[in-house]
Amino acid sequence: MFCPKCGNPLPANARFCSLCGVAVRSNASPGMESPLGASSFETSGASGTSYASSNPYAEPSPSDPYAPSDWSDAANIPDYLIWNVLSTLFCCPPLGVAGIIFSIQTNSAKTRCDFEAAKRHSSTAKTLLVVGAVVGGLQILLSFLWIALTTAIEVGSLGAF
């Protein structure tokens, strides 16, 4: 025998589902209802509107009032963690460390399903990554120019003797 609501396998003499609490036998004694009160799971929104769902454990649909409007895009929020680690190692350590912190905050916000915060942290991590790469590139370029300039001066001064 299976629960009509959630499909959980049940023993033959069960009166209620052990997972969702729905009464599974039509000959259950009166007054023996589901702990949830009805065969559907009801919630009320902030405006007092009641929403019913047949399975409280199902994935939220895009029309669910509690599901974010960009639920399908939640997994597509990049964290830039690897790039910020590389930026820390090869370009600009202070900006790279800050980028790593925002990358970790992006992952934490995605875990909490706070997608707006995840987008903000991801944007900040990307900005720090780009600025760190530009600053690191300029440092490398200036170092090569400095080496070339000092080498040219030394070679020129050796030729005067």
Side-chain angles (χ1 to χ4, degrees), residues 80-101 103 124-137 139-140:
Y80 303 105
L81 182 61
I82 299 298
W83 293 107
N84 278 307
V85 169
L86 293 174
S87 174
T88 302
L89 293 175
F90 298 115
C91 295
C92 184
L95 293 174
V97 169
I100 289 171
I101 291 170
S103 296
T124 305
K126 182 179 180 180
T127 302
L128 290 169
L129 171 65
V130 170
V131 171
V134 168
V135 168
Q139 287 177 340
I140 291 170

Side-chain angles (χ1 to χ4, degrees), residues 16-111:
F16 297 98
C17 175
S18 59
L19 266 181
C20 63
V22 171
V24 293
R25 299 188 117 196
S26 60
N27 60 356
S29 60
M32 298 287 289
E33 296 179 357
S34 164
L36 298 176
S39 63
S40 67
F41 184 73
E42 295 187 11
T43 57
S44 59
S47 63
T49 311
S50 179
Y51 304 103
S53 168
S54 62
N55 186 356
Y57 305 108
E59 288 292 321
S61 67
S63 63
D64 187 359
Y66 297 109
S69 59
D70 57 350
W71 186 269
S72 61
D73 297 334
N76 297 333
I77 301 173
D79 60 4
Y80 303 105
L81 182 61
I82 299 298
W83 293 107
N84 278 307
V85 169
L86 293 174
S87 174
T88 302
L89 293 175
F90 298 115
C91 295
C92 184
L95 293 174
V97 169
I100 289 171
I101 291 170
F102 278 99
S103 296
I104 292 170
Q105 288 178 346
T106 300
N107 284 333
S108 297
K110 284 179 11 181
T111 303

